[in-house]
Amino acid sequence: MNKKLIKEVKNSFKQTFKTKPLMVFSPGRINLIGEHTDYNDGFVFPAAINKGIALAIQKSKNKVSTVYALNKEETYQFSLDTVSPLENGGWRNYILGVVAEIKKRGIVLGNFNIVFAGNIPGGAGMSSSAALENSVVYGLNKLFKLGISKKEMILISQQAEHNYAGVKCGIMDQYASMFGVKKSALLLDCRTIKSKLYKINFGDYKLLLINTNVKHDLSESAYNDRREVCEKVSAKLNIKALRDATISDLDTIKSDITDEDYQKALYIIEENLRVKEFSKAIKADDIKQLGELLYKSHNGLSTQFKVSCKELDFLVDHTKNNPNILGARMMGGGFGGCTINLILKSEVKSFKKEISSLFKREFGKDCSIYNVKLSDGTQKIK
Ligand code: GLA
């Protein structure tokens, strides 16, 4: 599937710009567990997947840079001298944001042409935006031989998201998309930005994603709100981030904060502990325990941190009486997007049928179901 995507992007570039491009592939990601912990300097457990963005890039002699979004059939031209965020700019802001962040570091870029396309469903919580940012910064770095390290590249991508897309995200998505390794997940410490590699083999079980195909409004402002709450509670506790707090620390200020804020901070502390338990359960091949941790994570996201929605809760609830599914939870920022499910391989087909019709009956629209392979991170391709 990616081969076809890459070929289309390359051909489109050649046709449009009449030169041979440098090609980059940058993947989306899943996250096994550790949601909203990244911007609390905590732990996450993501992996890059075999869906992503293919990008073709080459230098241009023009006075402007040109980007063609092949999926949308939209072209955008801009001058490198006057880069600023666009209102409702969509994909354009990710490109402009990366360019602006590179410039901030005192690096002078030449003009360029880009064609890109992707196969990560938008709004699915699989980080199509991080994949796009990473593909652009990686492509520019190679093309102009800028000598930017991969670690700096992901910080550039993250800042692009903060300053041009307005989402104060953590580092998980950009990290996973850049550093992903085939058949593996990355236990990432978001304070040190260093990860440990875990080979993933769930035996008779596999991961299955179910997309609600909804993305509720306000998800971005709600995301930033959550971050603010976490920062407010850390400030009250006199610590750098909630990663540094224990439950008993939090209890010392319980009466000084609202119950809502208490629950949100408690969720973060507990989720960080779950990530560590999850990594131990992987080492111990304790698949049942993995499933239980997924359910607990979802429960926290839904009832304490309050970033789920009725469609996500419905999908998770309907796995609970199914003995072939060990665990499920919402994945990513929330308010829509996908659930991640740990399911017996032999039962995937019948479950797909069942959940598709239940979802349709309940919400009058289709959910989508994806198999994903854990894959390598952002790379130059032929
Ligand atoms: C989004 C953000 C990430 C992370 C997740 C929630 O994907 O971009 O930084 O906070 O939500 O875990």
Side-chain angles (χ1 to χ4, degrees):
M1 190 172 184
N2 286 337
K3 271 196 182 144
K4 189 168 156 255
L5 176 76
I6 292 163
K7 209 170 154 195
E8 278 168 8
V9 170
K10 198 177 193 171
N11 287 342
S12 164
F13 189 96
K14 284 187 191 157
Q15 270 174 18
T16 315
F17 299 111
K18 317 285 179 228
T19 48
K20 230 181 118 205
L22 183 155
M23 296 295 299
V24 176
F25 185 80
S26 189
R29 63 108 190 88
I30 57 160
N31 185 24
L32 298 177
I33 196 161
E35 224 61 91
H36 288 266
T37 42
D38 61 351
Y39 54 82
N40 287 292
D41 277 4
F43 298 91
V44 292
F45 216 148
I49 54 170
N50 58 333
K51 288 182 191 293
I53 299 273
L55 176 128
I57 185 167
Q58 196 44 270
K59 293 178 185 169
S60 161
K61 294 199 177 82
N62 289 346
K63 293 214 164 16
V64 287
S65 290
T66 303
V67 184
Y68 179 53
L70 181 58
N71 294 135
K72 299 198 180 262
E73 300 184 11
E74 291 172 355
T75 302
Y76 180 61
Q77 285 198 323
F78 62 99
S79 158
L80 291 170
D81 304 328
T82 55
V83 173
S84 64
L86 305 173
E87 207 165 315
N88 302 320
W91 59 269
R92 295 164 190 80
N93 277 333
Y94 300 116
I95 314 249
L96 293 170
V98 166
V99 168
E101 290 304 322
I102 292 178
K103 281 176 61 185
K104 257 192 205 166
R105 285 158 175 78
I107 297 168
V108 181
L109 288 173
N111 276 304
F112 55 85
N113 297 318
I114 283 178
V115 174
F116 77 90
N119 53 13
I120 308 170
M126 290 152 83
S127 301
S128 53
S129 61
L132 178 56
E133 291 148 5
N134 277 356
S135 70
V136 175
V137 67
Y138 191 95
L140 287 171
N141 184 55
K142 277 261 179 281
L143 187 65
F144 292 107
K145 300 191 172 60
L146 304 177
I148 306 174
S149 68
K150 281 188 175 181
K151 172 149 180 227
E152 191 62 23
M153 283 190 231
I154 62 169
L155 296 173
I156 288 173
S157 293
Q158 183 194 26
Q159 287 303 310
E161 189 100 17
H162 284 201
N163 300 327
Y164 275 65
V167 180
K168 303 281 180 206
C169 64
I171 197 67
M172 168 169 73
D173 306 349
Q174 290 79 8
Y175 187 95
S177 165
M178 185 64 76
F179 291 101
V181 175
K182 208 172 168 178
K183 295 186 177 161
S184 310
L186 308 161
L187 172 61
L188 172 64
D189 179 334
C190 297
R191 172 162 282 165
T192 59
I193 319 190
K194 290 204 171 103
S195 64
K196 270 198 205 125
L197 207 64
Y198 282 69
K199 277 254 171 262
I200 297 298
N201 179 357
F202 294 139
D204 292 338
Y205 289 82
K206 65 178 291 184
L207 298 170
L208 189 72
L209 302 186
I210 311 178
N211 191 354
T212 57
N213 289 320
V214 299
K215 185 81 204 160
H216 291 292
D217 289 350
L218 300 178
S219 63
E220 288 173 5
S221 60
Y223 183 93
N224 292 343
D225 286 352
R226 296 301 181 281
R227 187 174 180 142
E228 263 177 42
V229 168
C230 295
E231 285 167 359
K232 198 171 70 187
V233 177
S234 322
K236 252 224 143 66
L237 283 166
N238 240 328
I239 52 174
K240 186 161 174 275
L242 284 179
R243 181 253 178 78
D244 302 310
T246 62
I247 298 177
S248 20
D249 293 336
L250 181 65
D251 284 341
T252 62
I253 59 159
K254 192 168 184 189
S255 56
D256 304 334
I257 58 178
T258 63
D259 189 50
E260 293 261 294
D261 289 359
Y262 175 82
Q263 289 301 332
K264 290 194 174 86
L266 181 62
Y267 160 78
I268 296 293
I269 297 170
E270 290 175 342
E271 181 77 349
N272 268 327
L273 296 172
R274 280 190 286 267
V275 178
K276 289 185 194 157
E277 280 179 57
F278 198 92
S279 65
K280 281 190 203 138
I282 289 189
K283 280 256 168 346
D285 263 333
D286 188 349
I287 312 253
K288 238 183 115 204
Q289 166 76 347
L290 297 177
E292 279 164 25
L293 289 165
L294 292 180
Y295 279 134
K296 285 185 182 156
S297 171
H298 184 79
N299 188 49
L301 285 158
S302 180
T303 64
Q304 296 173 285
F305 209 61
K306 299 213 159 90
V307 289
S308 187
C309 61
K310 60 179 191 303
E311 293 87 350
L312 288 167
D313 288 344
F314 178 89
L315 287 177
V316 171
D317 284 346
H318 274 83
T319 65
K320 285 189 178 155
N321 297 325
N322 187 332
N324 303 314
I325 298 179
L326 296 183
R329 63 176 198 86
M330 57 151 276
M331 190 183 79
F335 306 103
C338 289
T339 62
I340 180 167
N341 303 263
L342 190 54
I343 180 171
L344 196 61
K345 283 177 185 163
S346 55
E347 295 303 315
V348 168
K349 216 172 153 192
S350 63
F351 174 67
K352 272 185 180 176
K353 230 176 129 187
E354 178 196 322
I355 198 73
S356 300
S357 72
L358 282 173
F359 191 87
K360 179 105 189 194
R361 198 166 62 192
E362 181 78 11
F363 298 109
K365 53 189 166 218
D366 292 319
C367 60
S368 308
I369 301 180
Y370 318 117
N371 291 302
V372 285
K373 281 196 187 136
L374 309 192
S375 305
D376 286 328
T378 305
Q379 59 196 281
K380 186 166 175 266
I381 47 170
K382 290 233 169 86

